[in-house]
Amino acid sequence: MSGIIVGLDIGSAFIRVAIGELDLDNNIKIIGASKTPSKGVNNGVIINSGAVEACIKEALESAEQMAGVDVAYVYVSIGGSQVSTLNSSGQVGIDASSSPSRKNRITDVSEDAKKRAIAAAEAIYVPYEKRIIHTIPREWIVDGISYKNGQVKDLIGTEGVRLEVKVHIVMATITALKKIDDTIMHLGYQRSGRTLKTLAAAVATLPREDMELGSILIDLGAGTTDVMVIYDSAPVYTMSLPVGGWYVTNDIAQVKGIPFDVAEDIKIKYGCCWIDESEEDETVTIPGVGSRPPEETSRFELCQIIQSRMDEIFAMIKDSVRKHSGLTSLNGSIVLTGGGALMYGIVELAQSAWHTTAVRKGEAPNLGDLDCGPLGRNVYRQPDFATAVGLVLANKGGAVAEKPSKKGSPRREDKSDVLGGLKNGVKEFWKKIF
């Protein structure tokens, strides 16, 4: 029997949903996708549950109708200011015995030894208001010999005395996690798991080679810009800036003296952040506001406003990555996802800011032909759907069989711990992916 996996990306500007179907050959096909304007979310944090509930309901029901199924379980993303990360390490004796005579006994590495090492790495100070949601192994070391993610298959059975693991830990505020769960459950759905949004986007858009060589994923959202640096197939640094597309809109509004919603509309229709001065310029008409008549500006002038802010965002990212990632070079790619990645000229601007041509928009793989109506055919492959699709791909092992769509059919009850999160789940799917 096939299974259904639903990815729900709760953004500040839009709610995006991707529904995937898992066939008997363990292949995913996207059978539903939707995108609905978001309300009640600021900087990635739910601030008005009632407002966002209506948006989530509309998005899920639209995707359900397209897919022809009623879903009960959803996988949800989390990001923005509610998330913090750090790197940690843990070391244990491979032999679990406490007997002094066996203290330095050479023993085969077992799954139990790996679990104990992970537990040691998680023995850190966690603020009372936060909870660990991911613990992702970066490197295993047996008596000084390193095993990166690509070599983990060789670890079990290796002989040694001491086992060390270096991990990347992701934490989120308990309040934010509860708001997400309460909102989803109030709609009659069950939350199957949570995944850091940049982690999900990386699964959808970064091939193995980019993850091994070292790459930077930049998710350009409306309220925040989230970043993940990946090296040797594991995250080494993640961050979130409290600036995004809305700050660009605010710049336009202030410079042109127009309301925010008018500036947002102009940005979406005519916005660009890289334009060749030799190109023929386009005239942009700014609608009249109140007693003010319409006025004309040029697309080039609009571009200058946008480019200034986006240049600042890229500079902030670059400075933080240099200071905190511990890496001096990345041989992979800079991949842009999120709604901001749809802007004309964003790749060229990033290439200029980072002094490299290895920049591209993050697009999901071809997972079936899907007519998404007004959104366009195969819209799920666009950079702004990277997180939603990544949630589907990352959770292939947790597919839940669903009934065909039937009006008024009850949703299933989830017997799992809805507040348990994915504390250890991501390290499992990361191992499978690589």
Side-chain angles (χ1 to χ4, degrees):
M1 176 181 288
S2 62
I4 297 296
I5 313 169
V6 183
L8 172 63
D9 180 21
I10 305 174
S12 298
F14 288 94
I15 307 295
R16 296 177 179 88
V17 175
I19 299 180
E21 182 178 35
L22 186 65
D23 64 20
L24 294 176
D25 295 321
N26 205 38
N27 296 317
I28 287 287
K29 180 179 180 182
I30 300 297
I31 59 174
S34 66
K35 175 180 175 179
T36 302
S38 179
K39 296 179 181 179
V41 182
N42 187 29
N43 290 353
V45 180
I46 295 176
I47 58 175
N48 186 328
S49 298
V52 76
E53 273 183 22
C55 302
I56 293 174
K57 180 180 180 182
E58 181 181 348
L60 283 169
E61 290 183 348
S62 177
E64 285 177 310
Q65 184 176 7
M66 184 181 300
V69 297
D70 277 339
V71 304
Y73 300 87
V74 298
Y75 291 90
V76 66
S77 65
I78 187 168
S81 60
Q82 56 202 332
V83 171
S84 60
T85 64
L86 58 83
N87 291 327
S88 179
S89 63
Q91 187 175 124
V92 298
I94 298 175
D95 189 336
S97 173
S98 59
S99 171
S101 64
R102 301 179 63 177
K103 184 176 181 181
N104 295 316
R105 180 173 176 265
I106 296 177
T107 311
D108 289 348
V109 175
S110 63
E111 287 293 344
D112 175 69
K114 289 175 63 179
K115 290 178 180 178
R116 288 187 287 109
I118 290 287
E122 290 179 330
I124 58 171
Y125 170 71
V126 178
Y128 72 94
E129 78 278 8
K130 294 187 177 182
R131 172 174 291 162
I132 295 176
I133 59 172
H134 298 324
T135 301
I136 309 168
R138 297 168 48 211
E139 180 183 8
W140 296 90
I141 302 171
V142 179
D143 293 345
I145 300 175
S146 173
Y147 294 82
K148 304 287 185 175
N149 275 311
Q151 302 167 317
V152 168
K153 61 182 182 297
D154 302 320
L155 185 62
I156 297 299
T158 300
E159 291 187 336
V161 175
R162 302 292 295 177
L163 175 65
E164 181 181 1
V165 63
K166 296 181 179 181
V167 301
H168 189 68
I169 293 177
V170 181
M171 295 179 283
T173 62
I174 294 175
T175 301
L177 295 173
K178 188 174 186 303
K179 280 185 178 181
I180 291 174
D181 289 342
D182 288 349
T183 299
I184 292 172
M185 287 190 291
H186 192 259
L187 289 170
Y189 297 87
Q190 299 292 341
R191 190 267 304 156
S192 291
R194 313 180 194 94
T195 303
L196 181 65
K197 68 178 304 179
T198 45
L199 191 59
V203 171
T205 62
L206 288 178
R208 179 194 299 268
E209 294 78 11
D210 276 342
M211 290 189 175
E212 290 176 350
L213 293 172
S215 296
I216 303 173
L217 185 136
I218 304 174
D219 187 85
L220 300 164
T224 63
T225 298
D226 292 353
V227 180
M228 173 174 282
V229 181
I230 299 174
Y231 185 68
D232 275 335
S233 300
V236 296
Y237 177 61
T238 53
M239 62 172 288
S240 180
L241 293 174
V243 292
W246 281 348
Y247 286 78
V248 173
T249 303
N250 191 58
D251 289 346
I252 297 172
Q254 290 191 0
V255 171
K256 292 301 179 181
I258 56 178
F260 185 91
D261 57 343
V262 175
E264 178 73 6
D265 187 57
I266 290 173
K267 183 188 75 173
I268 293 173
K269 289 182 178 178
Y270 306 105
C272 63
C273 53
W274 186 267
I275 191 167
D276 192 330
E277 293 185 40
S278 64
E279 294 181 8
E280 183 178 349
D281 202 3
E282 180 181 351
T283 299
V284 177
T285 300
I286 299 177
V289 179
S291 60
R292 289 173 47 185
E295 64 174 282
E296 291 186 345
T297 186
S298 67
R299 195 179 185 201
F300 183 75
E301 184 180 357
L302 185 63
C303 173
Q304 288 180 311
I305 299 171
I306 297 172
Q307 182 174 334
S308 177
R309 176 64 74 174
M310 294 306 300
D311 250 336
E312 179 186 10
I313 291 174
F314 282 137
M316 293 169 68
I317 295 171
K318 193 172 183 179
D319 182 60
S320 186
V321 168
R322 281 177 170 172
K323 287 182 179 179
H324 304 293
S325 71
L327 300 176
T328 56
S329 64
L330 292 170
N331 298 318
S333 302
I334 295 174
V335 177
L336 309 176
T337 62
L342 300 175
M343 187 177 296
Y344 179 85
I346 190 68
V347 170
E348 290 80 1
L349 180 62
Q351 289 174 335
S352 174
W354 292 82
H355 305 294
T356 178
T357 58
V359 179
R360 61 180 173 82
K361 295 182 180 182
E363 295 184 349
N366 187 348
L367 301 171
D369 188 45
L370 182 65
D371 183 1
C372 299
L375 292 178
R377 186 170 292 277
N378 296 332
V379 69
Y380 71 86
R381 299 194 65 189
Q382 294 296 315
D384 56 328
F385 272 85
T387 294
V389 174
L391 289 169
V392 173
L393 293 174
N395 293 288
K396 285 173 63 175
V400 178
E402 304 287 351
K403 296 179 180 179
S405 180
K406 184 177 180 181
K407 188 175 181 180
S409 61
R411 304 194 187 281
R412 299 182 179 187
E413 180 182 1
D414 186 5
K415 298 299 184 181
S416 64
D417 175 10
V418 296
L419 294 177
L422 293 177
K423 184 174 179 180
N424 295 313
V426 165
K427 67 173 180 282
E428 295 301 325
F429 82 67
W430 205 265
K431 180 173 66 176
K432 294 175 184 175
I433 290 168
F434 301 125

